[in-house]
Amino acid sequence: MLITRKKGMRCLPLLLLFLLLSVTDSYANISRDYQTALNQFRSLVKNSKQARYRSNWKRLEDKFIAIYQANPDGSYAPKVLYYMGRVNEELARRSYLRSDYQAAVDYYNRCSKRFTRHSWTDDALYRMARVQYYNLNQSAEARKTLNTILSKYQAGDKYKEALALHRKILSEVRGGTTASKSPQKHQPTSHTTTTVSKPRKASNKVALKGIRFTSSNDYTRVVIDLSGEAKHQYKFLNADPVRKLPFRLYIDLDGTVPSQAVKDELKIYDGILQMIRVGKPVPGTSRVVLDFESVQKYTVFALENPYRVVVDVSAPKDGNMSHPPVDLSRKPSVQKPKKPSRTVPPSRKIPDLIEQLGLTVKTVMIDAGHGGKDPGAAKNRIREKDYVLNVAKMLGKKLKAKGFNVLYTRSSDVFIPLEERTAKANVQKVDLFVSLHINASRKSRVNGIETYYLNLARSKSARRIAARENAISEKRISDLQFILTDLMLNSKMQESKALAELVQKSMVKKVRAKGWKSKSNGVRSAPFYVLMGAKMPSILVELGYCSNPTEAKRLRNNSYLNLLADGIADALSTYRTNLKNYAAM
Ligand SMILES: [Zn+2]
């Protein structure tokens, strides 16, 4: 016994040492694994290509789960739960799936319930409230979550933001655009007021410079001009007949102030858009409220350089509301572009049906690129804005001769923002939209004719050209591709592609028939601002590279330009005939 005890006593320090070592070792492992997972999270957020894959986010979630399970009560557990929420939130932003947002809320909730005293608890709660409010449309739940922060985490760094969001939700519930006072019990204590509510420097503010709109009886495009980049959130509110409130879409612009030129209220009543109101739901945020007679679909997206937020709203033609309206900028489009039905009911006359299916091509809008202060590409004695206007007029004449109605976005040397050109086409309900451009490249040997339709850019050169025409950087094109995937899928993509193919083939055929050795770069796709939101088949033609001396010489020749215009006109005519035949089949 003695011997054994002695032996045991001697072994005890060793055992303790072993235990201590293994605990430290597993702690070191968890710490290392956590750091690795965290780094992976950060790089996945930045890698827009990899971030598109659901499997990458799920793998990362599994890693965090493994770390959590290794020690569910350890010091890393709350942080890991928080990041499991973040992973699902980031995934949801890309998948648009409600279930992913819900998973994020569940993790944040677990984090806040299991670790009430951790310094990250209020961060988890605040994130949870934002997802509930902005993504899950659960205002009441969001307020409840915010109340927890406001009552239990007053000294935390999320107090001020929680208070602002709480006020915002309250003001929305009351239907106004002005900030409403929050309940007395949520007034900040003197301690938190002095530490967290420092007024921002005025110079940091982005100015809401103005609001433009193009409106008709079934379509409106509103453009909010800002002096710099600002985060925006938007929300659709149904009409409330009892309180005599119309359909409202409001856009909140964080960190912005309306400039003096912007009116609080602008009565319009010229179509579906009734009124534009501007208010401040909370200090530092501008709210633009759009009142509508009816709404069927809406899209909100930002364009850059200069920064502006574009709101597209369509109303049903027959005046019947579909409930709820479709938010095209958020919901992924899974349906393929609709093809016109081939079956013709015997009781109906074919011409009527063609009309009903929107298969007639009567009016073409010709868009001469650039203009005014924006000269476009300029090289080898060619200024893009002048040359494309020249071709636009040639093309217009030819189309009129073929029986088309012709409209121009510009017929003189004036500047028109890209988004206004598309808006004009939508408001005028034209059947086809053709934007004319002349290309340029830093490499002078690059040459050729190419025709574009709106879709993701598949090549580096397509990205580069879209960046140039949009006046934004190539890096921004990548962001744009991601953000606008759904928006672009809703455009008349198949029709636009078919039109682009006809136009490209016809132009090349025309010039080659006369002995010009022009190169065809084929039909390509890229996210062009000027085609975004167009409701009709729309294309962008790059007539050639002015940066290539040989091609520039061709482009300076009027008979060459005339052949290009001939080619486009013939193609549009073929497209019209094809549609008629297609509908009659
Ligand atoms: Zn151009």
Side-chain angles (χ1 to χ4, degrees):
M1 279 290 285
L2 258 174
I3 298 164
T4 325
R5 197 182 287 161
K6 254 191 177 170
K7 198 180 171 188
M9 290 288 277
R10 224 180 287 143
C11 284
L12 195 61
L14 268 177
L15 186 69
L16 275 174
L17 186 67
F18 172 75
L19 277 174
L20 192 67
L21 277 175
S22 68
V23 166
T24 344
D25 188 45
S26 86
Y27 180 82
N29 279 343
I30 289 176
S31 167
R32 193 194 55 213
D33 290 349
Y34 171 77
Q35 205 50 53
T36 310
L38 186 58
N39 289 340
Q40 282 172 351
F41 172 79
R42 286 176 181 152
S43 61
L44 189 54
V45 168
K46 280 187 209 147
N47 187 335
S48 60
K49 237 182 195 170
Q50 291 300 320
R52 286 180 202 194
Y53 298 100
R54 184 176 190 82
S55 55
N56 286 339
W57 293 105
K58 282 290 158 194
R59 253 201 303 276
L60 190 53
E61 185 186 13
D62 288 345
K63 277 187 187 160
F64 278 118
I65 290 174
I67 301 166
Y68 178 75
Q69 284 171 342
N71 191 356
D73 297 307
S75 60
Y76 279 99
K79 292 181 180 183
V80 168
L81 279 175
Y82 173 84
Y83 271 104
M84 280 147 84
R86 288 290 310 274
V87 165
N88 278 279
E89 200 183 329
E90 291 293 334
L91 169 62
R93 271 193 212 157
R94 288 145 177 106
S95 71
Y96 302 93
L97 287 176
R98 208 180 154 80
S99 53
D100 290 335
Y101 279 119
Q102 193 54 55
V105 165
D106 292 345
Y107 281 128
Y108 292 141
N109 194 30
R110 264 170 83 183
C111 174
S112 70
K113 289 267 157 63
R114 285 213 59 211
F115 304 96
T116 50
R117 286 160 168 234
H118 194 269
S119 64
W120 286 27
T121 309
D122 59 335
D123 298 77
L125 283 166
Y126 183 66
R127 285 220 160 249
M128 178 171 152
R130 283 187 66 92
V131 174
Q132 286 171 322
Y133 176 60
Y134 289 115
N135 308 111
L136 294 171
N137 228 341
Q138 300 171 331
S139 296
E141 284 84 348
R143 275 167 67 191
K144 228 172 110 184
T145 309
L146 291 168
N147 278 340
T148 311
I149 303 178
L150 297 175
S151 57
K152 290 186 182 161
Y153 300 93
Q154 295 188 346
D157 59 352
K158 282 286 168 262
Y159 184 87
K160 190 188 153 199
E161 284 163 89
L163 187 65
L165 185 57
H166 192 274
R167 280 184 178 156
K168 187 173 173 172
I169 298 174
L170 272 186
S171 76
E172 173 217 308
V173 168
R174 290 169 192 176
T177 60
T178 44
S180 52
K181 277 182 192 164
S182 69
Q184 274 302 310
K185 59 177 175 178
H186 297 319
Q187 285 301 315
T189 61
S190 58
H191 166 70
T192 45
T193 312
T194 46
T195 50
V196 294
S197 63
K198 277 183 210 151
R200 277 200 212 175
K201 276 185 198 162
S203 58
N204 291 342
K205 287 269 167 67
V206 169
L208 196 176
K209 285 162 57 188
I211 301 170
R212 296 174 278 140
F213 64 92
T214 317
S215 193
S216 73
N217 59 353
D218 61 0
Y219 167 81
T220 288
R221 173 168 277 188
V222 177
V223 182
I224 305 165
D225 289 309
L226 298 161
S227 67
E229 205 170 322
K231 260 193 189 169
H232 70 271
Q233 286 112 22
Y234 58 93
K235 207 169 168 78
F236 178 81
L237 301 171
N238 260 319
D240 185 344
V242 179
R243 289 155 68 206
K244 290 185 180 160
L245 292 169
F247 295 98
R248 285 144 295 153
L249 181 64
Y250 73 74
I251 301 100
D252 279 354
L253 302 145
D254 293 351
T256 65
V257 265
S259 66
Q260 286 190 326
V262 176
K263 288 180 188 159
D264 289 350
E265 210 177 277
L266 190 64
K267 290 190 171 105
I268 296 158
Y269 294 101
D270 74 336
I272 56 167
L273 184 61
Q274 295 180 341
M275 220 195 278
I276 299 175
R277 295 177 284 136
V278 179
K280 289 181 221 161
V282 286
T285 297
S286 308
R287 173 173 291 180
V288 177
V289 187
L290 308 173
D291 292 342
F292 290 101
E293 214 135 273
S294 55
V295 175
Q296 188 176 45
K297 285 185 275 188
Y298 61 93
T299 326
V300 183
F301 55 94
L303 303 181
E304 291 173 68
N305 191 28
Y307 198 87
R308 62 252 199 225
V309 176
V310 179
V311 185
D312 268 356
V313 177
S314 296
K317 281 186 184 123
D318 52 11
N320 291 327
M321 275 288 294
S322 71
H323 290 287
V326 185
D327 175 1
L328 292 179
S329 37
R330 274 187 187 163
K331 292 207 175 107
S333 158
V334 282
Q335 79 233 59
K336 286 182 180 165
K338 276 177 209 152
K339 280 194 179 162
S341 162
R342 280 179 180 232
T343 49
V344 181
S347 59
R348 282 188 189 156
K349 285 177 188 164
I350 286 169
D352 290 349
L353 191 72
I354 293 172
E355 187 103 39
Q356 280 167 23
L357 292 171
L359 293 182
T360 48
V361 178
K362 282 182 192 155
T363 310
V364 179
M365 184 167 273
I366 305 173
D367 173 47
H370 313 273
K373 66 179 182 187
D374 171 18
K379 214 72 201 251
N380 292 318
R381 289 186 282 138
I382 289 176
R383 209 160 54 159
E384 184 181 0
K385 66 170 183 176
D386 304 326
Y387 275 68
V388 292
L389 183 59
N390 184 15
V391 178
K393 286 177 178 169
M394 287 179 186
L395 175 61
K397 268 184 210 148
K398 291 174 199 296
L399 288 174
K400 276 180 196 159
K402 288 177 186 289
F404 288 97
N405 296 331
V406 175
L407 293 172
Y408 299 92
T409 52
R410 69 177 180 101
S411 51
S412 61
D413 186 17
V414 288
F415 174 78
I416 303 166
L418 294 170
E419 69 279 4
E420 268 180 33
R421 299 168 189 244
T422 334
K424 275 186 185 182
N426 285 346
V427 162
Q428 303 274 0
K429 300 183 178 72
V430 306
D431 304 304
L432 299 175
F433 181 82
V434 179
S435 189
L436 299 172
H437 292 259
I438 285 175
N439 225 331
S441 171
R442 252 179 276 161
K443 294 171 190 155
S444 66
R445 62 183 157 79
V446 177
N447 69 94
I449 302 168
E450 49 215 56
T451 308
Y452 285 86
Y453 64 98
L454 182 73
N455 199 343
L456 305 179
R458 298 230 170 91
S459 65
K460 201 171 157 36
S461 79
R463 261 198 302 280
R464 188 184 53 75
I465 288 158
R468 198 174 56 75
E469 297 293 5
N470 292 347
I472 57 173
S473 68
E474 275 183 60
K475 156 89 184 57
R476 290 300 202 184
I477 287 287
S478 314
D479 298 344
L480 191 66
Q481 303 235 83
F482 194 83
I483 297 160
L484 296 171
T485 310
D486 304 322
L487 186 72
M488 288 185 285
L489 285 174
N490 283 290
S491 64
K492 289 231 154 85
M493 198 172 68
Q494 291 305 325
E495 292 89 336
S496 302
K497 191 181 174 203
L499 179 65
E501 268 154 12
L502 285 175
V503 167
Q504 175 70 15
K505 228 166 88 183
S506 176
M507 281 190 297
V508 173
K509 196 176 141 193
K510 279 276 171 200
V511 295
R512 283 187 187 163
K514 292 284 176 194
W516 297 97
K517 293 195 176 75
S518 307
K519 190 179 156 211
S520 171
N521 293 331
V523 168
R524 297 169 166 189
S525 59
F528 287 103
Y529 278 1
V530 74
L531 303 180
M532 272 164 46
K535 288 165 162 256
M536 70 292 308
S538 49
I539 56 167
L540 186 145
V541 181
E542 293 281 2
L543 299 164
Y545 285 78
C546 65
S547 45
N548 177 268
T550 316
E551 193 145 65
K553 203 174 161 191
R554 283 197 286 265
L555 291 167
R556 287 199 305 267
N557 187 323
N558 244 352
S559 60
Y560 179 76
L561 295 181
N562 208 38
L563 287 172
L564 287 174
D566 262 337
I568 300 171
D570 280 1
L572 265 48
S573 181
T574 309
Y575 184 85
R576 178 176 61 182
T577 314
N578 286 356
L579 270 192
K580 272 185 198 160
N581 295 341
Y582 187 51
M585 267 159 78

